[in-house]
Amino acid sequence: MTDVRVRFAPSPTGPLHMGGVRTALYNKLFAMAHGGTFILRIEDTDQGRFVEGAEAYIEEALAWCGLTPDEGVRSGGDCGPYRQSERTSLYRDAIAQLLERGWAYEAFDTPDELDALRKAAEPEVWQYDASTRGTLKNSLTLGAEEVAALKAQGAPCVVRFKTPETATDIQLVDAIRGEVTFQSNILDDKVLMKADGLPTYHLANVVDDHHMRISHVIRGEEWLPSAPLHVLLYRAFGWEHPVFAHLPLILKPTGNGKLSKRDGDAGGFPVFPIDWHDPTSGDTWPGYREQGYTPEAFVNMLLMLGWNPGDERELFSLQEAAQTFSLDRVVKSGARFNPDKAHWFQAQHLRGAGPQAHVMPLQAVMASRGVNWDQAQCLAVLDMMLERVTFLTDIANTSWLVAAPAQFDAKLVRKKWKDDTSRLLKDLASELQRLDIFSSDAVEACFTAFLEARELGFGQVLLPFRIALTGEGGGPSMFDFSAFLGQEATLSRLADGLAAIEAIRSQTEGS
RNA sequence: GGCCCGUUCGUCUAGGGGUUAGGACGCCAGGUUUUCAUCCUGGUAGCAGGGGUUCAAAUCCCCUACGGGCUACCA
């Protein structure tokens, strides 16, 4: 096999969304699996839709996901420049070649004129194609002098592809879908070069893929309809076309259609890998990174949305995935995105990495909230909490970890408190006060002895103890948590908690 | 409208002529746990419909329906 070279070619018209990230992922994985090269090419030929910051966003998002390109604007490489706006001479040469060989022609029809034609034809669909081009203003119908005159006047001019008049089948073998056939006569004469002198996607794409020696074009299904045009273009140039693989789309979790950026709002999930600050509206769109997802979890979730290894494994690192990834195991149908499953992947990756792995990140998260825990404290908290949370931020949001509870679950208090409960906890407090070493084991031993001496069950004292210290009925081992708080804080929380709870109880009785 | 792609539990999917149609998420139940969560065990639920081909069809073919994409001087 020739060298595998694949590219991800987004256009900097806005933030990359998760569908785009998945396309990049599959490209990267395919390159990794074959010892190939993953290229990032910026398709910035539409100056009208250019968005400031979008290119930087793309690079940063890919980097966060671990999908760093081997070649690209930042990474460099032999086939640069990697921005299409910097490759215009290549496209001009290509156009000259096509014009010379009769595969393209110049057209002078204005957008308004074409719009009018389309309007007039309604409800039929009007196309600029082999059947209509003979009646329009182009270098095929106009004389050479007239064309020259128009150009001399500076009349706007585009170059269109001259689709073959004779209807033939255009067949291509898609690596995911198998054989796909199109009738050539349904194709229209696509604009290859716009009036501003910049190429359209079709031209730039084919020219760059050829010059960058791309072996496999792995892209979204939305490109399948233009694949026959691309095949024709390769033929016109006399180039061999790469292998095509059209990926299924990611669909909305509910309702119809492909996932779009507005869906996140309604569904309460991010659509973008990292936060996007829209420079024109000033809006911020949430990203998976800022939601607390680890890149490994995010990428794993994306991986399984349209691909599977053929066995029952679901949890993969990038390297593991690269070892089994293949295009023929990509699913053909669109995949509805499921936020619940994204959650599950995150929880799996969080726990799978173990407490130690999250010490520094947790320390940073806490610091950003004004809580300065040392590494030992972070580790202790992770040991207690990792299996109870999905995100590290869930820990930061657990307020009783940092401060005595401001709220107590009144219903729970009413249910669990007997008349002697507070008395018991006060007795327990004096026992705890006597401890010289306040470790988890020591607290547990003290507790057990306390219960045995009074012939009490765990539930009668432990749950009230928990409620007094956390305000809630669930959470980690109270022995661990007491040790984490330390003797002084434990006792003061207990005393304050009891006071607050007594207030609740007397209120309840009074009403 | 036209062209192209697709359709297995609610969702992601395995299965490609003979399977009790498998797994995962979710949900429900039980167990473990001082509690919650984790974990374990079990349950729930599916081949879009109709015609063929075949001894035999989720699987191959055709039609229909439905879903999706494209149909710009956007990518």
Side-chain angles (χ1 to χ4, degrees):
Chain A
M1 194 193 242
T2 51
D3 283 354
V4 166
R5 290 175 61 81
V6 294
R7 85 294 192 283
F8 176 57
S11 126
T13 53
L16 197 58
H17 94 332
M18 51 193 279
V21 177
R22 194 197 54 173
T23 302
L25 169 66
Y26 285 12
N27 272 281
K28 171 87 177 180
L29 250 17
F30 188 74
M32 288 170 79
H34 294 91
T37 306
F38 173 56
I39 297 157
L40 175 65
R41 185 173 70 217
I42 301 296
E43 308 227 329
D44 56 347
T45 56
D46 185 356
Q47 80 283 64
R49 292 206 308 158
F50 177 84
V51 172
E52 192 65 46
E55 186 186 315
Y57 178 95
I58 290 165
E59 294 264 13
E60 192 188 344
L62 290 180
W64 179 67
C65 294
L67 306 177
T68 324
D70 302 309
E71 292 179 22
V73 175
R74 286 192 194 173
S75 313
D78 297 339
C79 294
Y82 292 91
R83 259 187 218 111
Q84 291 187 326
S85 59
E86 295 165 15
R87 301 171 64 84
T88 49
S89 66
L90 232 38
Y91 311 127
R92 264 194 284 274
D93 291 349
I95 280 290
Q97 214 179 115
L98 253 23
L99 248 14
E100 191 183 324
R101 297 184 192 177
W103 275 105
Y105 60 90
E106 293 169 299
F108 299 90
D109 320 86
T110 65
D112 286 348
E113 287 166 354
L114 297 176
D115 275 352
L117 251 16
R118 291 194 178 98
K119 274 261 164 50
E122 277 173 12
E124 302 288 294
V125 174
W126 185 88
Q127 269 194 177
Y128 206 124
D129 59 19
S131 72
T132 56
R133 66 181 166 231
T135 66
L136 294 152
K137 264 166 54 186
N138 54 53
S139 58
L140 264 20
T141 56
L142 272 24
E145 320 82 60
E146 209 169 341
V147 169
L150 276 167
K151 286 167 98 171
Q153 287 165 32
C157 166
V158 302
V159 178
R160 285 179 182 272
F161 186 62
K162 194 177 165 199
T163 312
E165 294 85 351
T166 46
T168 52
D169 279 357
I170 303 165
Q171 219 162 55
L172 65 107
V173 179
D174 184 281
I176 294 167
R177 283 149 216 283
E179 212 167 79
V180 184
T181 309
F182 299 85
Q183 284 287 314
S184 68
N185 60 333
I186 59 111
L187 264 28
D188 62 341
D189 290 357
K190 279 273 181 287
V191 169
L192 261 21
M193 184 167 276
K194 299 175 274 188
D196 62 8
L198 289 173
T200 58
Y201 172 84
H202 307 292
L203 201 243
N205 194 260
V206 165
V207 168
D208 285 343
D209 283 347
H210 175 256
H211 288 300
M212 293 184 176
R213 306 190 308 278
I214 298 302
S215 61
H216 299 256
V217 169
I218 304 169
R219 67 206 334 179
E221 192 183 354
E222 69 269 28
W223 294 110
L224 192 50
S226 50
L229 167 68
H230 302 158
V231 169
L232 252 24
L233 237 18
Y234 279 102
R235 283 189 201 159
F237 283 117
W239 299 333
E240 202 176 317
H241 70 252
V243 175
F244 292 105
H246 291 93
L247 266 21
L249 266 16
I250 298 180
L251 275 17
K252 296 177 194 292
T254 55
N256 298 333
K258 65 173 174 179
L259 188 69
S260 72
K261 63 179 192 176
R262 297 269 165 201
D263 295 324
D265 279 343
F269 59 87
V271 170
F272 301 106
I274 60 181
D275 273 5
W276 164 250
H277 308 286
D278 189 320
T280 48
S281 70
D283 293 343
T284 293
W285 296 81
Y288 281 85
R289 181 178 66 183
E290 289 76 5
Q291 287 284 300
Y293 281 83
T294 63
E296 293 79 10
F298 175 60
V299 165
N300 196 161
M301 178 273 287
L302 251 21
L303 171 69
M304 299 311 284
L305 218 49
W307 176 85
N308 69 80
D311 53 39
E312 275 157 10
R313 288 175 295 164
E314 289 198 274
L315 266 13
F316 288 90
S317 68
L318 203 60
Q319 281 68 26
E320 286 163 347
Q323 280 168 21
T324 24
F325 186 82
S326 73
L327 252 18
D328 53 25
R329 294 215 65 91
V330 174
V331 170
K332 296 180 183 70
S333 49
R336 235 178 235 283
F337 170 64
N338 181 349
D340 278 340
K341 190 109 188 203
H343 240 244
W344 178 80
F345 276 111
Q346 165 59 20
Q348 292 301 309
H349 278 268
L350 192 77
R351 282 166 214 150
Q356 197 66 52
H358 304 294
V359 168
M360 304 300 282
L362 179 63
Q363 197 171 28
V365 171
M366 297 314 293
S368 75
R369 311 225 181 167
V371 178
N372 293 307
W373 279 345
D374 62 28
Q375 294 191 14
Q377 283 173 299
C378 288
L379 188 58
V381 168
L382 285 162
D383 279 333
M384 291 189 285
M385 299 298 291
L386 205 58
E387 293 194 332
R388 289 161 226 277
V389 297
T390 301
F391 303 106
L392 243 29
T393 48
D394 291 339
I395 293 178
N397 292 336
T398 305
S399 59
W400 49 259
L401 282 171
V402 264
Q407 301 278 322
F408 294 84
D409 187 334
K411 230 167 95 182
L412 201 59
V413 165
R414 240 171 285 138
K415 207 170 136 196
K416 295 295 170 186
W417 239 261
K418 304 283 182 291
D419 288 334
D420 63 342
T421 302
S422 292
R423 180 70 257 157
L424 283 171
L425 286 178
K426 278 177 191 151
D427 292 350
L428 176 66
S430 25
E431 297 292 329
L432 289 172
Q433 193 153 21
R434 271 190 217 112
L435 288 176
D436 292 327
I437 300 166
F438 207 74
S439 67
S440 175
D441 287 347
V443 174
E444 182 168 6
C446 171
F447 225 96
T448 312
F450 177 83
L451 293 176
E452 273 169 9
R454 276 152 238 256
E455 297 187 330
L456 292 166
F458 266 97
Q460 288 167 274
V461 188
L462 200 51
L463 193 59
F465 181 60
R466 175 188 298 285
I467 297 167
L469 261 63
T470 69
E472 291 174 6
S477 152
M478 284 311 289
F479 310 130
D480 290 348
F481 183 56
S482 301
F484 169 74
L485 283 179
Q487 193 163 28
E488 197 187 323
T490 300
L491 292 171
S492 71
R493 272 207 197 189
L494 186 52
D496 294 349
L498 282 176
I501 286 163
E502 282 309 324
I504 290 172
R505 294 190 74 227
S506 59
Q507 236 175 47
T508 312
E509 278 159 21
S511 63

